[in-house]
Amino acid sequence: MRRFLPLAVLAGLSAWFGIAWCVESDLGRAIYSIGAGRDGREIGGRIGADGGLRMQGGAVACGNCHGQDGRGGGEGWLQAPDLRWFALSKPHGRLRSDGSTRPAYDRASLARALRGGIAPDDVALDSAMPRYDLAEDEIDALIAHLRTLDGAGSAPVPPALVVLAPERGQGAATRLLDGLRRCTVAGERMPALTVLRYASFDDALAQLQAMEQAGTVAAVFAPYLPAVESAYARAPFQRSLPTLLPIALDGLEAAPDASLLFRLPSLRAQAHALLRALPARSGGTLIIQAGAGQALAEELGDAAQARGWRVGLTTDAQAASAADAVLVLMPLTAPAPVPVPVPVPAVDRATTLLVPALFMDPSAAEAWRARGARVRLAFPYPPRSQALAGRWIGPEQAWTALACELLTRLPPMPRSREALPAWRAQLPAMAPLRLDAWFELPARSDFDDEVGRVALMEWPERADPEEPR
């Protein structure tokens, strides 16, 4: 004989299960939206490359970056993906920015990602993603809330700023990205950045082209391009896709002027500024210690000959011993480290060494001076901030300061591909970037303007620098 529960008991159980589901849903929503866990405790999380920065409560709420609807978004410099459960649990995974895919999440792999920052395929998540201290029931509640965010499909991806950076072996590029991570301006919400790391630059260009065709990239922001500028300048998207504040040395002159905005003086401009500072010299010998490109070296040689100098091109540091002046241009490999180590030319008299700051090594400069040489440096920006009591401003610090300032000055980001033309049309007319009355960078500049904006300095600095030989 089958036993049946009384109707009153069934009603009671139904109500209890309804309350339990409601409580779990409310807990998941609180974790996601305000960082509040079981019994109202503040959820804790650790961020940063070493997990050393601890935050809690609303500061680590999922909705800050992924949006309250879970469709993705951004805060600060990071573009966060769609976090709805149907998107996380797709059988083939979500397409990554480098073209690879990650496996679908299940309950166990999501718990590991939330607590340890490891994706299902054992790839470490970005260090900006908090590592949470969540209990088992809190993880279940969060997943239940993510399921409530599921919809019929993904929302259109809004255009974003894209940063290009090498995938591995580039400490300079990583430090620059870390500098962007720390950008903070009171009262300002900075647009998010999608970081596209590349092992193959050709693959990165192909993906950027696809993003441009799909309308998901508003502009390329501060791409790290040493030694790959020529390939970037030839890319088919160059005439339509703006590039803001490129980190480049030389080779972008071939790109359309309309697409390059807020660019620092190039290595080419720095070298020309150094040559222009040399007096016209009949019979003087200038050695160009080449390596940054034969075409550039020959162009600079022609400019020096026009000023009356005899010119020699060499890659041998020892060939400079008899020269009156030596212009140091070291080889650039893809991607080039910053700074580039410089061999010391074998000078034994008052030779003037002309050195773009990228190739500057203080110990090398002292060795040159000990041998009787004079050292003149060229910087793409003033190396000292007068507003900061003459404090030295290094290349990475200067680039980060400019990038953070530019992020706060940009027009509000477009919400759709249809709004892209109007948004891009505002960029060339933007006011110059100004940093504490120390430095000004216009949106547009031609080659002559670039040369004029190069800052020259004797090493070490002198109150009344003498004229070069």
Side-chain angles (χ1 to χ4, degrees), residues 85 103-115 118-121:
W85 187 250
Y105 278 96
D106 57 18
R107 196 269 183 202
S109 60
L110 183 61
R112 186 172 74 142
L114 291 170
R115 290 169 172 162
I118 304 297
D121 53 357

Side-chain angles (χ1 to χ4, degrees), residues 294-320:
Q294 186 68 21
L296 174 60
E298 291 178 356
E299 173 189 321
L300 295 168
D302 291 342
Q305 286 180 337
R307 296 177 61 80
W309 288 79
R310 295 196 306 269
V311 177
L313 306 181
T314 181
T315 57
D316 181 6
Q318 305 308 310

Side-chain angles (χ1 to χ4, degrees), residues 128-153:
M129 169 71 179
R131 279 54 170 164
Y132 292 97
D133 58 353
L134 290 169
E136 293 294 324
D137 64 327
E138 290 172 327
I139 287 176
D140 289 333
L142 180 58
I143 291 176
H145 178 65
L146 296 180
R147 291 181 185 277
T148 69
L149 300 177
D150 285 355

Side-chain angles (χ1 to χ4, degrees), residues 300-369:
L300 295 168
D302 291 342
Q305 286 180 337
R307 296 177 61 80
W309 288 79
R310 295 196 306 269
V311 177
L313 306 181
T314 181
T315 57
D316 181 6
Q318 305 308 310
S321 58
D324 296 296
V326 180
L327 176 61
V328 178
L329 294 175
M330 296 309 299
L332 301 178
T333 57
V338 178
V340 176
V342 180
V344 180
V347 296
D348 54 9
R349 61 197 187 92
T351 299
T352 297
L353 288 162
L354 310 174
V355 188
L358 173 69
F359 306 137
M360 170 60 181
D361 180 339
S363 61
E366 289 305 317
W368 291 331
R369 281 172 42 78

Side-chain angles (χ1 to χ4, degrees), residues 178-202:
D178 286 343
L180 278 180
R181 188 194 306 270
R182 294 189 292 270
C183 287
T184 55
V185 176
E188 297 284 353
R189 181 180 176 86
M190 294 192 184
L193 304 180
T194 296
V195 180
L196 178 56
R197 287 190 173 273
Y198 59 84
S200 164
F201 193 65
D202 289 341

Side-chain angles (χ1 to χ4, degrees), residues 32 65-74 79-84 158:
Y32 187 91
C65 289
H66 297 274
Q68 292 301 319
D69 59 2
R71 294 175 181 265
Q79 185 76 20
D82 192 328
L83 205 61
R84 291 172 292 174

